[in-house]
Amino acid sequence: MLYEGDCSSPAGRFAIVAARFNSLVVEPLTAGAIDALKRHGVAEERIDVVRVPGSFEIPLVAQKLGQSGQYAAIICLGCIIRGDTDHYDHVASAATSGIAHAALHSGIPVIFGLLTCETLEQALHRAGAKAGNKGFEAAVTAIEMVNLMTRLPRSRS
Ligand code: INI
């Protein structure tokens, strides 16, 4: 038996948790994610957007939304750009492990749509300018995962 999700129109509500930090990049990521959801049949009324100050704040909110039982998936969007200090490493590592933790503890797909880049230019390229839109890709991943989760064997209760 092969289990795999597809991109057919999923049921349920979707939440996007988007950081305001580096909003020049995160705004197009958010628009890309909403565009992908709508193109896959998710009406705007089924999409909630929650804004948080920075990427560090994303995991707590993603976990709370995940545990609410109201969402099929949570899409996390942020942009962390390396500066002159080691702040980047701390924020990136906390956000990465926190988002993984939120997925495991809420039992629904919590998608990692954060850019970790060396420069603003590189980030803009990944937010729709040259190298695709990672927000769009994160939303497509969410759809595939939601469809996969509905197909996997249920736990015995
Ligand atoms: N937050 C980001 O989303 N991206 C960054 O590049 C960034 N840098 O480099 O500082 C950043 N910092 C803020 C952080 O996410 C928190 O909001 C802040 O530390 C308060 O907890």
Side-chain angles (χ1 to χ4, degrees), residues 26 80-81 125:
V26 182
I80 309 166
I81 298 176
H125 285 169

Side-chain angles (χ1 to χ4, degrees), residues 48-78:
D48 292 333
V49 178
V50 181
R51 290 190 202 284
V52 295
S55 297
F56 187 83
E57 282 71 39
I58 290 176
L60 176 65
V61 173
Q63 178 160 306
K64 185 172 171 68
L65 294 174
Q67 289 177 340
S68 73
Q70 305 286 311
Y71 297 99
I74 314 290
I75 300 158
C76 301
L77 302 176

Side-chain angles (χ1 to χ4, degrees), residues 107-125:
I108 63 164
V110 180
I111 307 302
F112 184 83
L114 274 64
L115 298 179
T116 52
C117 297
E118 295 296 318
T119 63
L120 176 62
E121 187 190 22
Q122 199 180 66
L124 288 168
H125 285 169

